[in-house]
């Protein structure tokens, strides 16, 4: 399988590290904020996002390795009808057999996606994060490192859960939320909520 990656920052480095190079050939990177021909994470920057169509015959799958949830959503919507999207799961991650991982998602080192849980399109379960049983991480959302949910948690679309946050079981967190790092979420969180770090909500 030949893969083209959008992004060349720190998250892209994580994604590249997680890919099994014996099974996947990374042909290069695309980044609007890097110089064409520059080498990042051992791979060449081919150009910017507008150049992707020029390379369509050289790759089989696309992966959006950008940490910003809204940016991933915008790029996915732009290219969903033209390309197939890969899913990247680190070899040390634990994913239950009946869990569902959507296209374009990244499951990081030491992460856990437990029994009957769902990770929807282009979402991130980052390093040592845990999505417990019967829980859902909706599209274009992210569980940052060392976050943990109880069972039957729903996290809405384009929502960011900050590092080290704990979420009580049977909790609903809405769309477009930003939960500050180190928080403790024990009640439902309405759409569009932003919390500070280290709060109990």
């Amino acid at each position: 399988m030949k893969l083209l990656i959008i992004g060349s920052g720190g998250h892209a480095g994580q994604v590249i590290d997680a890919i099994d190079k014996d099974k996947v050939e990374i042909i290069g990177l695309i980044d609007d904020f890097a110089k064409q021909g520059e080498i990042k994470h051992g791979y060449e920057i081919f150009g910017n996002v507008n150049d992707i169509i020029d390379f369509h015959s050289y790759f089989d799958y696309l992966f959006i390795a950008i940490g910003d949830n809204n940016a991933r959503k915008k790029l996915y919507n732009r290219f969903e009808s033209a390309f197939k999207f890969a899913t990247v799961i680190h070899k040390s991650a634990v994913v239950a057999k009946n869990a569902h991982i959507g296209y374009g998602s990244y499951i990081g080192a030491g992460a856990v996606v437990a029994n009957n849980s769902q990770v929807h399109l282009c979402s991130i379960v980052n390093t040592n994060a845990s999505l417990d049983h019967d829980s859902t991480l909706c599209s274009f959302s992210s569980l940052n490192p060392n976050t943990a949910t109880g069972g039957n948690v729903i996290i809405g679309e384009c929502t960011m859960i900050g590092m080290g946050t704990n979420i009580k079981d049977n909790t609903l967190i809405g769309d477009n939320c930003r939960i500050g790092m180190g928080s403790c979420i024990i009640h439902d969180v309405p759409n569009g909520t932003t919390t500070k770090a280290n709060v109990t909500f």
Side-chain angles (χ1 to χ4, degrees):
M1 182 179 84
K2 294 184 178 181
L3 181 67
L4 181 67
I5 293 175
I6 302 177
S8 67
H11 182 59
Q14 284 186 305
V15 169
I16 289 167
D17 178 68
I19 290 171
D20 185 345
K21 311 305 188 300
D22 292 330
K23 297 180 180 179
V24 178
E25 178 187 352
I26 301 170
I27 68 163
L29 312 178
I30 292 288
D31 198 318
D32 286 350
F33 304 100
K35 184 178 179 181
Q36 186 174 5
E38 187 177 357
I39 303 298
K40 291 283 193 76
H41 311 295
Y43 296 92
E44 183 179 352
I45 303 290
F46 282 177
N48 60 42
V49 169
N50 291 328
D51 298 322
I52 288 177
I53 196 66
D54 296 334
F55 302 108
H56 73 277
S57 62
Y58 295 97
F59 67 92
D60 305 306
Y61 288 85
L62 193 62
F63 191 90
I64 306 169
I66 295 174
D68 182 89
N69 293 332
N70 290 300
R72 284 199 315 283
K73 181 178 181 179
K74 182 177 179 180
L75 287 164
Y76 178 82
N77 288 340
R78 178 174 175 178
F79 293 114
E80 66 169 318
S81 62
F83 302 111
K84 294 183 288 186
F85 288 81
T87 297
V88 175
I89 301 175
H90 194 280
K91 64 182 179 181
S92 67
V94 178
V95 177
K97 291 181 179 179
N98 65 348
H100 170 77
I101 309 297
Y103 297 123
S105 289
Y106 167 71
I107 312 298
V112 176
V113 181
N115 181 62
N116 204 38
S117 287
Q118 298 184 52
V119 177
H120 291 178
L121 292 170
C122 290
S123 286
I124 298 170
V125 182
N126 221 321
T127 309
N128 293 324
S130 176
L131 185 70
D132 210 358
H133 67 87
D134 301 288
S135 293
T136 299
L137 181 65
C138 291
S139 298
F140 317 110
S141 290
S142 53
L143 289 179
N144 281 330
N146 296 309
T147 58
T149 80
N152 296 288
V153 167
I154 298 175
I155 297 168
E157 185 173 302
C158 283
T159 285
M160 187 280 294
I161 308 297
M163 292 188 299
T165 293
N166 292 312
I167 303 171
K168 181 181 177 291
D169 58 308
N170 300 302
T171 299
L172 170 63
I173 299 179
D175 300 335
N176 300 301
C177 294
R178 295 182 62 84
I179 305 301
M181 62 183 292
S183 296
C184 182
I185 305 301
I186 59 175
H187 301 293
D188 290 353
V189 179
N191 292 342
T193 298
T194 296
T195 72
K196 296 180 180 179
N198 299 304
V199 300
T200 298
F201 188 100

